[in-house]
Coordinates of all heavy atoms in Angstrom, one line a residue:
Chain B
E164 N 4.2 0.9 30.0 CA 5.2 0.0 29.3 C 6.0 0.8 28.3 O 7.3 0.7 28.3 CB 4.5 -1.1 28.6 CG 3.8 -2.1 29.5 CD 4.8 -3.1 30.2 OE1 5.9 -3.1 29.7 OE2 4.4 -3.7 31.1
I165 N 5.4 1.7 27.6 CA 6.1 2.4 26.5 C 7.1 3.4 27.2 O 8.3 3.4 26.8 CB 5.1 3.2 25.6 CG1 4.2 2.2 24.8 CG2 5.8 4.2 24.7 CD1 3.0 2.8 24.3
I166 N 6.6 4.1 28.2 CA 7.5 5.1 28.8 C 8.7 4.3 29.5 O 9.8 4.7 29.4 CB 6.7 5.9 29.8 CG1 5.8 6.8 29.1 CG2 7.7 6.8 30.7 CD1 4.8 7.6 29.9
N167 N 8.3 3.2 30.1 CA 9.3 2.4 30.7 C 10.4 1.9 29.7 O 11.6 2.0 30.0 CB 8.6 1.2 31.4 CG 9.6 0.4 32.3 OD1 10.1 0.9 33.2 ND2 9.9 -0.8 31.9
H168 N 9.8 1.5 28.5 CA 10.7 1.0 27.5 C 11.7 2.2 27.1 O 12.9 1.9 26.9 CB 9.9 0.6 26.3 CG 10.7 0.2 25.1 ND1 11.4 -0.9 25.0 CD2 10.9 0.9 24.0 CE1 12.0 -0.9 23.8 NE2 11.7 0.2 23.2
Y169 N 11.1 3.3 26.8 CA 11.9 4.5 26.4 C 12.9 4.9 27.5 O 14.1 5.2 27.2 CB 11.1 5.6 25.9 CG 10.5 5.4 24.6 CD1 9.2 5.2 24.4 CD2 11.4 5.4 23.4 CE1 8.7 5.0 23.1 CE2 10.9 5.1 22.2 CZ 9.5 4.9 22.0 OH 9.0 4.7 20.8
V170 N 12.5 4.9 28.7 CA 13.4 5.2 29.8 C 14.5 4.2 29.9 O 15.7 4.6 30.0 CB 12.6 5.3 31.1 CG1 13.5 5.4 32.3 CG2 11.7 6.5 31.2
L171 N 14.1 3.0 29.7 CA 15.1 1.9 29.8 C 16.1 2.0 28.7 O 17.3 1.9 28.8 CB 14.4 0.5 29.7 CG 15.3 -0.7 29.9 CD1 15.9 -0.7 31.3 CD2 14.5 -2.0 29.7
S172 N 15.6 2.4 27.4 CA 16.5 2.6 26.3 C 17.4 3.8 26.5 O 18.5 3.8 26.1 CB 15.7 2.7 25.0 OG 14.8 1.6 24.8
A173 N 16.8 4.8 27.0 CA 17.5 6.1 27.1 C 18.6 6.1 28.3 O 19.7 6.4 28.0 CB 16.6 7.2 27.3
I174 N 18.1 5.7 29.4 CA 19.0 5.8 30.6 C 19.2 4.5 31.4 O 19.6 4.5 32.5 CB 18.5 6.9 31.6 CG1 17.1 6.7 32.0 CG2 18.7 8.3 30.9 CD1 16.7 7.5 33.1
G175 N 18.8 3.4 30.7 CA 18.8 2.1 31.4 C 20.2 1.7 31.9 O 20.3 1.2 33.0
N176 N 21.2 2.1 31.2 CA 22.6 1.7 31.6 C 23.1 2.7 32.6 O 24.2 2.4 33.2 CB 23.5 1.7 30.4 CG 23.1 0.6 29.4 OD1 22.6 -0.4 29.8 ND2 23.3 0.9 28.1
Q177 N 22.5 3.8 32.8 CA 23.0 4.8 33.7 C 22.4 4.8 35.0 O 22.7 5.6 35.9 CB 22.9 6.2 33.0 CG 23.7 6.3 31.7 CD 23.3 7.6 31.0 OE1 22.8 8.5 31.6 NE2 23.7 7.6 29.7
I178 N 21.3 4.0 35.2 CA 20.6 3.9 36.5 C 21.5 3.1 37.4 O 21.6 1.9 37.2 CB 19.2 3.4 36.3 CG1 18.4 4.3 35.4 CG2 18.6 3.3 37.7 CD1 17.0 3.8 35.1
D179 N 21.9 3.7 38.5 CA 22.8 2.9 39.5 C 21.9 2.4 40.6 O 21.1 3.2 41.1 CB 23.8 3.9 40.0 CG 24.8 3.1 40.8 OD1 24.8 1.9 40.9 OD2 25.7 3.8 41.5
L180 N 22.1 1.2 40.9 CA 21.3 0.6 42.0 C 21.5 1.3 43.3 O 20.6 1.4 44.2 CB 21.6 -0.9 42.1 CG 20.7 -1.9 41.2 CD1 21.2 -3.3 41.4 CD2 19.2 -1.7 41.6
N181 N 22.7 1.7 43.6 CA 23.1 2.3 44.8 C 22.2 3.6 45.1 O 21.9 3.9 46.2 CB 24.6 2.6 44.9 CG 25.4 1.4 45.0 OD1 25.0 0.5 45.7 ND2 26.4 1.3 44.2
E182 N 22.0 4.3 43.9 CA 21.2 5.5 44.0 C 19.7 5.2 44.3 O 19.0 6.0 44.7 CB 21.4 6.3 42.8 CG 22.8 6.9 42.6 CD 23.0 7.5 41.3 OE1 22.1 7.5 40.5 OE2 24.2 7.9 41.0
Q183 N 19.3 4.0 43.9 CA 17.9 3.6 44.1 C 17.7 3.0 45.5 O 16.5 2.8 45.9 CB 17.5 2.5 43.1 CG 17.7 3.0 41.6 CD 17.5 1.8 40.7 OE1 16.7 0.9 40.9 NE2 18.3 1.8 39.6
L184 N 18.7 2.8 46.2 CA 18.6 2.0 47.5 C 17.6 2.7 48.4 O 16.7 2.1 49.1 CB 20.0 1.9 48.2 CG 20.0 1.1 49.5 CD1 19.5 -0.3 49.3 CD2 21.3 1.2 50.2
E185 N 17.7 4.0 48.5 CA 16.8 4.8 49.4 C 15.4 4.6 49.0 O 14.5 4.4 49.9 CB 17.2 6.3 49.3 CG 16.6 7.1 50.3 CD 16.9 8.6 50.2 OE1 18.0 8.9 49.6 OE2 16.2 9.4 50.7
F186 N 15.1 4.6 47.7 CA 13.7 4.5 47.2 C 13.2 3.0 47.5 O 12.1 2.8 47.9 CB 13.6 4.8 45.7 CG 14.0 6.2 45.5 CD1 15.2 6.6 44.9 CD2 13.1 7.3 45.8 CE1 15.5 7.9 44.7 CE2 13.4 8.6 45.5 CZ 14.7 8.9 45.0
I187 N 14.1 2.1 47.2 CA 13.8 0.7 47.4 C 13.5 0.5 48.9 O 12.5 -0.2 49.3 CB 14.9 -0.2 47.0 CG1 15.0 -0.2 45.4 CG2 14.7 -1.7 47.4 CD1 16.2 -0.9 44.9
L188 N 14.3 1.0 49.8 CA 14.1 0.8 51.2 C 12.8 1.5 51.7 O 12.1 1.0 52.5 CB 15.3 1.4 52.0 CG 16.6 0.6 51.8 CD1 17.7 1.2 52.7 CD2 16.4 -0.9 52.2
S189 N 12.5 2.7 51.1 CA 11.3 3.4 51.4 C 10.1 2.5 51.0 O 9.0 2.4 51.7 CB 11.2 4.8 50.8 OG 11.2 4.7 49.4
D190 N 10.2 1.9 49.8 CA 9.1 1.0 49.3 C 8.9 -0.2 50.2 O 7.8 -0.6 50.6 CB 9.4 0.6 47.9 CG 9.0 1.6 46.9 OD1 8.2 2.5 47.2 OD2 9.7 1.6 45.8
L191 N 10.1 -0.7 50.6 CA 10.0 -1.9 51.6 C 9.4 -1.5 52.9 O 8.6 -2.2 53.5 CB 11.4 -2.4 51.8 CG 12.0 -3.2 50.6 CD1 13.5 -3.5 50.8 CD2 11.3 -4.5 50.3
E192 N 9.8 -0.3 53.3 CA 9.3 0.2 54.6 C 7.8 0.4 54.5 O 7.0 0.0 55.5 CB 9.9 1.6 54.9 CG 9.6 2.2 56.2 CD 10.1 1.4 57.4 OE1 11.3 1.0 57.3 OE2 9.4 1.2 58.4
A193 N 7.3 0.9 53.4 CA 5.9 1.1 53.2 C 5.1 -0.2 53.2 O 3.9 -0.3 53.6 CB 5.6 1.8 51.9
N194 N 5.8 -1.3 52.7 CA 5.1 -2.6 52.6 C 5.6 -3.6 53.7 O 5.4 -4.8 53.6 CB 5.3 -3.2 51.2 CG 4.6 -2.4 50.2 OD1 3.4 -2.6 49.9 ND2 5.3 -1.4 49.6
K195 N 6.3 -3.1 54.6 CA 7.0 -3.9 55.6 C 6.0 -4.8 56.4 O 6.2 -6.0 56.5 CB 7.7 -3.0 56.6 CG 8.5 -3.7 57.7 CD 9.2 -2.6 58.4 CE 9.2 -2.9 59.9 NZ 9.9 -1.8 60.7
K196 N 4.9 -4.2 56.7 CA 3.9 -5.0 57.5 C 3.4 -6.2 56.7 O 3.3 -7.3 57.2 CB 2.7 -4.1 57.8 CG 1.8 -4.6 58.9 CD 0.8 -3.6 59.3 CE -0.3 -4.2 60.2 NZ -1.3 -3.3 60.5
A197 N 3.1 -5.9 55.4 CA 2.5 -7.0 54.6 C 3.6 -8.1 54.3 O 3.3 -9.3 54.3 CB 2.1 -6.4 53.2
I198 N 4.8 -7.7 54.2 CA 5.9 -8.6 54.0 C 6.1 -9.5 55.2 O 6.2 -10.7 55.1 CB 7.2 -7.9 53.6 CG1 7.1 -7.2 52.2 CG2 8.4 -8.9 53.5 CD1 8.2 -6.3 51.9
I199 N 6.1 -8.9 56.3 CA 6.3 -9.6 57.6 C 5.1 -10.6 57.8 O 5.3 -11.8 58.1 CB 6.4 -8.7 58.8 CG1 7.7 -7.9 58.7 CG2 6.3 -9.4 60.1 CD1 7.9 -6.8 59.7
E200 N 3.9 -10.1 57.5 CA 2.7 -10.9 57.6 C 2.8 -12.1 56.8 O 2.5 -13.2 57.2 CB 1.5 -10.0 57.2 CG 0.2 -10.7 57.4 CD -0.2 -10.8 58.9 OE1 0.4 -10.1 59.7 OE2 -1.1 -11.6 59.2
D201 N 3.3 -11.9 55.5 CA 3.3 -13.1 54.6 C 4.4 -14.0 55.0 O 4.3 -15.3 54.9 CB 3.6 -12.6 53.2 CG 3.4 -13.7 52.2 OD1 2.3 -14.3 52.1 OD2 4.3 -13.9 51.4

Side-chain angles (χ1 to χ4, degrees):
Chain B
E164 291 283 349
I165 293 164
I166 292 173
N167 188 63
H168 172 77
Y169 281 112
V170 168
L171 187 62
S172 303
I174 56 168
N176 296 328
Q177 299 171 16
I178 298 176
D179 188 8
L180 269 179
N181 291 317
E182 293 170 2
Q183 300 171 35
L184 183 62
E185 191 182 338
F186 299 103
I187 291 171
L188 293 181
S189 65
D190 282 335
L191 287 169
E192 184 70 40
N194 293 275
K195 185 172 139 181
K196 194 176 173 185
I198 294 170
I199 292 172
E200 184 73 18
D201 191 55

